[in-house]
Amino acid sequence: MTNTTKVGVFDSGVGGLTVLKELAQLLPHHSYVYFADTKHCPYGPKGPDEIIRLSEIITKFLLDQGCTIIVVACNTATAAAIDYLRANFPIPFVGMEPAVKPAALATKTKSIGVLATKGTFNGRLYRETTAKYAANINVSYQVGAGLVELVEQGKSQSKEASELLQTYIAPMLDEKIDHLVLGCTHYPFFIPVLKKILPEGVVIDNPAPAVAKQTARVLSEEAKEPHSGIGTEPSVTFYSSGEIDTLKFLVHEIELTTKVVFKNKSYQHFIF
Ligand code: DGL
């Protein structure tokens, strides 16, 4: 009897690794199929129809791999496509949402900053969450143009990244933010750089751990019996639609710098 679920996780590129890391830590008995749509990255400037088309192809691919739940580990794809995916595929989807709610509830200065892609800011989720939870506080928002590309080039710790981030963060600091919401799954790779830029006391809000918890809740609702930890040996298969070296490099970095181990790793291409 097997009690291991195959969880599909996808992003426009390597950003979703910041979510996969939390999933593997919280739910180590499951297997994961991670898809990086490197060939079509970045999604941020693309229109919703194009993102829906790409997300649908990736979802069908993940279903073919035997996934029974999919984590859309990309804020931009969640904003554009999650309603469509939920309406058209008979499996549960867990999506990303910028952590505006926890930041808005916790801010003492009544001022928060949000860094995300254009696609995420244009989405219904961001508009609704901000209207609901942040109506009475100052929200300083900034499109992180160029940031995803730096992560994809393996340059998240570069001088170039630090300078670009400083440009984006400076106006927020003028607004006395005490929370910075990372509204794109690529951005947690900048946390070491951000910690140097942000004054002490500014909290960085990354929704990835909450998304892993939500996935655990959905899995336990779906499970007919509690997870026994027995079953087929867990594995993580990484797919890319393009270049695969940054993916390998960052997976290695995550394993080195955190206690997370991606069990039985393998890397493959799926080009479309
Ligand atoms: N990781 C994606 C997100 O969370 C990046 C979007 C992009 O490819 O521009 O939005």
Side-chain angles (χ1 to χ4, degrees):
M1 184 200 74
T2 174
N3 209 348
T4 300
T5 301
K6 247 192 198 177
V7 181
V9 182
F10 80 88
D11 178 45
S12 64
V14 294
L17 293 177
T18 63
V19 181
L20 182 67
K21 175 181 77 130
E22 303 294 337
L23 288 165
Q25 202 158 31
L26 188 68
L27 300 161
H29 300 301
H30 295 298
S31 286
Y32 297 91
V33 182
Y34 181 87
F35 190 84
D37 192 9
T38 313
K39 184 177 165 192
H40 305 102
C41 188
Y43 279 9
K46 291 187 183 6
D49 290 350
E50 174 68 351
I51 297 172
I52 288 173
R53 189 184 71 80
L54 297 169
S55 301
E56 182 168 30
I57 295 170
I58 297 165
T59 296
K60 284 182 181 158
F61 174 75
L62 292 173
L63 290 177
D64 287 347
Q65 306 313 303
C67 296
T68 52
I69 175 170
I70 291 179
V71 179
V72 184
C74 175
N75 293 74
T76 314
T78 302
I82 204 154
D83 292 344
Y84 177 88
L85 296 174
R86 285 183 174 141
N88 286 281
F89 292 96
I91 55 156
F93 288 87
V94 178
M96 304 299 301
E97 195 180 322
V100 170
K101 179 183 171 186
L105 293 175
T107 176
K108 293 195 174 61
T109 58
K110 301 288 169 224
S111 182
I112 66 170
V114 185
L115 200 54
T117 68
K118 187 171 156 224
T120 296
F121 284 126
N122 285 341
R124 175 182 61 82
L125 268 176
Y126 176 75
R127 269 201 314 277
E128 285 180 3
T129 314
T130 313
K132 192 164 173 193
Y133 299 102
N136 298 320
I137 61 163
N138 174 57
V139 181
S140 201
Y141 67 92
Q142 172 67 50
V143 173
L147 292 176
V148 165
E149 289 86 336
L150 286 171
V151 176
E152 291 291 323
Q153 291 158 13
K155 292 185 186 162
S156 60
Q157 310 306 308
S158 65
K159 189 161 170 272
E160 206 179 335
S162 173
E163 284 170 1
L164 191 55
L165 284 164
Q166 279 183 52
T167 319
Y168 292 155
I169 303 294
M172 298 184 181
L173 296 179
D174 289 343
E175 301 274 341
K176 307 262 178 299
I177 63 153
D178 63 354
H179 280 258
L180 174 66
V181 176
L182 302 184
C184 169
T185 54
H186 280 74
Y187 299 169
F189 284 114
F190 293 119
I191 287 176
V193 180
L194 284 168
K195 282 190 172 157
K196 287 187 197 144
I197 297 173
L198 294 168
E200 216 172 299
V202 177
V203 177
I204 299 171
D205 293 283
N206 170 17
V211 169
K213 281 191 198 130
Q214 174 61 11
T215 307
R217 272 193 291 273
V218 174
L219 280 169
S220 66
E221 277 162 24
E222 296 282 309
K224 295 182 186 51
E225 48 199 292
H227 198 281
S228 62
I230 327 164
T232 34
E233 178 75 0
S235 64
V236 186
T237 313
F238 295 94
Y239 284 92
S240 168
S241 60
E243 183 269 322
I244 216 159
D245 288 348
T246 312
L247 190 61
K248 282 186 182 165
F249 169 73
L250 291 174
V251 166
H252 184 65
E253 281 283 298
I254 287 172
E255 288 189 316
L256 273 183
T257 55
T258 66
K259 290 202 178 73
V260 176
V261 177
F262 296 115
K263 294 175 190 140
N264 300 312
K265 295 191 287 288
S266 62
Y267 294 90
Q268 302 196 35
H269 275 109
F270 169 63
I271 321 253
F272 66 97

